[in-house]
Amino acid sequence: MKNQNKPNGCSFKIIQNYSFLLFSLFLDTSLDISINEIKDKYKNAVYMSYKAHNAWVRQVKWIKNLDAIVSCATASKQSLTIGWFVKKSSQVKVTHMNVSNGGINGFDYDPNLKIIATANQNTLVNLFNPYVHEPNGILKGHSAIVLAVRFMSARSQLITFSADRLIRIWNVQLQICIQRIANIFPKGPDVDTSCFYDEMTMRFFIAFRYTLMLMEIKPEITDRVMSHSNSVVCAKYNKNMNQVVSVSQDGTMYMWLLESGQRVKTFTELHDNYEVITMDFDETKTRILTAASDGMIKIWDLNGNCYHKLEANKGQNCDVGQILSLKRRIIAVGWQKAITIFRDNMINSGLVKPDEWKAREEHEEDILCADIMLNPPLFLATGGFDGDIVIWNSVTEHPVRHLSARKRILSAKFEPNMGPRTSKNYKSLGRRFSKAEPVVDTENDFGFAITCLRFLNTRAHGKDCTLVSCGGNGWVRFWEVNSGKLGAEFTAHKQVNSVIMDIDEKEHFLATGDVNGLVKIWSIKSYCISSTLKIDTITKEPSLLSSIKSHSDQINSINFCCKHNITYVIIASSDCSVSLNDLNGNLIGMFGQDSHWRLESPTTSLRSTPSKNRIAPDTKPTPNVNFGIPKIDLTSVEQKYNQNDEIIDSNGQISLSSNRFEIEETFKFDANELINDTSIRYNPWSKTLLGKSYQEIRTKKRDRKQPSLIRNGEYEIWNKTGQVPGGLYGSLKMVELDNIETKKKLESKFFKERNAPNLFENKSEKSLAESLRYAFDEKTLFPKYILDYEARMRQEHKKIMNRVSKENDIVKIGMIKRNESSLSMKQNS
């Protein structure tokens, strides 16, 4: 049961059916002593009693530092009682503290901080000062009843466990949640759970009805590169923006340039004080969808503006496990057995309520993941906690069939002991089991959970396996959806609770990641297609390309991206970092590191090569192909054989010291030799048109004449001795000038007479009209169509003016006649 030491984070070990042994040991070593026997045997013993509660007492503890007895009960009044012992007195001073809405399930005391933490029925955690009635702090974050609390005094942290099988680790001084652990505990009708934390070994124990779980806290690593200040829940590549978007648990979103790793945008407090659980893009890659533990889904643009808020659980807190953006619909799953859907005609306001899914519930446990088929018939697949996969018609929203690996495994295990197969005992192997005949499985309950689903859209529907699922115990399965047949299954990661996965766009590679920070790249291009499908299920693994160990904690997100026809892998982990790797397992860099990288450079992998990368067992390291192969240290490690007779070391990794991999121990990698090797380096002079043309121009160009050496003896003496010969200008060559011959006098014609006229006097300037050689008019200056247009305009203007003048004359004549008629009428009157 001893758990191995890991680099960082938390590791879990599940021990099945161990509680009965612990209980029997406890009965054998315990004693039952009554109070009357103590009174009779020990005369100095003092017996006191006091009334502490009016309801069922859940926990009682003696605290030496306070010299008091602390107890709690599930009642709103007198929820927490402290019985103070008074010295030299038989009385007890009682202090009561009230917690509304149900009381307290448990408590713990920290002697360093001198604080009492309570696990409340109202989903809160109160921090009490023993001498003050009101709480000093309230920790909010759980969405179910808090069952237990335990202090880690050396780290000033608090562990809380709730009824929905969720652990939160708090920083008590800052009163913030620093880690959230879910989906690792068995589900069932447990009446009570017990928790214990050992300060010496830094181990946390949780006991259920049939299971005892161990959580070991790993030592922190301080010299690592951190992309965020908190655990990274998701990181995805946006092809339209050529950027990587990462979101951490504290609600911080960063946008990084893929080609250099430089951070370009920062958005904080996406969901206020609630923790972000998942993130995704819409179909157009122009909107970002984020979900938090308060059950709220927000739609953002790439500039950090929130357009809509979607209430997934009708205003109540819930953990949205996945968001799926479809055409005219948004689907959310993760906290219940039904599918929550938001239709486009409803997303027209700031706050949006969910719509009802048309079909009834088909899952018996919570839905954890979903995926949509992009090609007809447009199936929707949902995976549950119990291992059941339901295929839906996304148009009619009705179920098509069920795919269950749990049913197949249980039938294989219990069928030989059941005798002949009858209708009665065969029904007990299905998804629904009767209460009278419970089925007991040797694996833990989370071993069947489906954590991720992916459709293979490039394959032929009805012939090839078009659905891939992964989940508990490291299993990966390929399904043929049309017939419901399980085509292949294999264990990608051994001895782990669960794995996640992702598939590239061309569907050639499959990446799986586990809780220990290990990522494996598999080649599935020709795996489980129609030509390889058989009657029986394929159990052989696909070819393993590489193993990546860039992180030291749980892998939360894997995403493929392609740049310059090269496929890369983006990995987000709980160790607060996001890494970029290639398919060979080489670490390109960590987002947030000081030095940036360039994906165009062929020597990018030489700049930062991981020291813990693993190489696939079926590949050989060759210096001419893989530039980022680390130096292999072949040391003796404790080895053991797995079920497939593969040699693995104590860390669960494939050992490179085996002879079956044919790796030379004398192989050494020298980066300087590789850079100086001209046979490997790319020569642009002979490989590009621009280089060839430029080289021809350079060769045809004449050589430049270089200055000749000075052969003067005095200069040589100066150069050897350093003494200047003959003063300041001694280095100059002094030569006597030639004699100048007497020149003849110039003739008189070259001289001007005194009264001769000036040939260079300015004559009177002529006018512009006189200087012009030709006379220009309108016909020569303007084209004909302009002159014609002007002539027509003049004619029209003349006609209009004539018509207007005629109308004016008619008006004047009419006025004259009217005046004459009026005068004649006056005269007659």
Side-chain angles (χ1 to χ4, degrees), residues 30-48:
S30 62
L31 297 175
D32 297 333
I33 302 175
S34 63
I35 297 178
N36 296 327
E37 294 179 0
I38 296 177
K39 288 182 179 180
D40 297 337
K41 292 183 179 181
Y42 304 97
K43 297 181 180 181
N44 295 330
V46 179
Y47 170 72
M48 294 177 292

Side-chain angles (χ1 to χ4, degrees), residues 8 28 76 88 133 136 258 306 308 324 332 348 433 467 536 551 564 577 643 645 652 658 764 787 811:
N8 190 20
D28 295 339
S76 299
K88 298 181 182 180
H133 292 276
N136 290 349
L258 178 66
C306 181
H308 305 284
L324 193 61
N348 51 14
F433 305 102
L467 179 64
D536 298 332
H551 299 274
H564 305 295
S577 61
Q643 296 177 358
D645 294 333
S658 175
S764 60
L787 298 175
V811 171

Side-chain angles (χ1 to χ4, degrees), residues 729-776:
Y729 303 100
S731 61
L732 297 178
K733 186 176 181 180
M734 306 298 292
V735 181
E736 294 182 359
L737 298 177
D738 299 335
N739 295 327
I740 301 175
E741 298 178 356
T742 57
K743 300 296 182 180
K744 297 179 180 180
K745 293 184 179 181
L746 294 176
E747 299 178 0
S748 59
K749 64 179 179 180
F750 295 103
F751 296 93
K752 177 184 175 182
E753 296 180 1
R754 183 169 297 178
N755 297 326
N758 190 2
L759 301 176
F760 300 98
E761 289 183 356
N762 293 332
K763 299 179 180 180
S764 60
E765 296 182 356
K766 298 181 180 180
S767 63
L768 180 61
E770 296 176 353
S771 63
L772 290 177
R773 181 174 295 182
Y774 301 101
F776 294 92

Side-chain angles (χ1 to χ4, degrees), residues 278-342:
T278 184
M279 182 268 293
D280 199 3
F281 295 108
D282 66 344
E283 290 184 339
T284 61
K285 303 294 184 181
T286 58
R287 295 290 186 268
I288 302 175
L289 289 79
T290 59
S293 58
D294 60 345
M296 191 70 68
I297 301 173
K298 293 185 179 181
I299 302 177
W300 310 80
D301 63 0
L302 299 179
N303 294 323
N305 301 317
C306 181
Y307 287 93
H308 305 284
K309 296 180 180 180
L310 314 180
E311 287 188 352
N313 198 23
K314 300 179 181 180
Q316 299 180 1
N317 294 348
C318 67
D319 293 339
V320 181
Q322 184 179 353
I323 311 170
L324 193 61
S325 178
L326 310 178
K327 289 184 178 180
R328 299 180 296 276
R329 288 170 295 177
I330 295 176
I331 289 178
V333 295
W335 70 97
Q336 61 181 1
K337 305 173 185 178
I339 300 175
T340 301
I341 184 171
F342 300 89

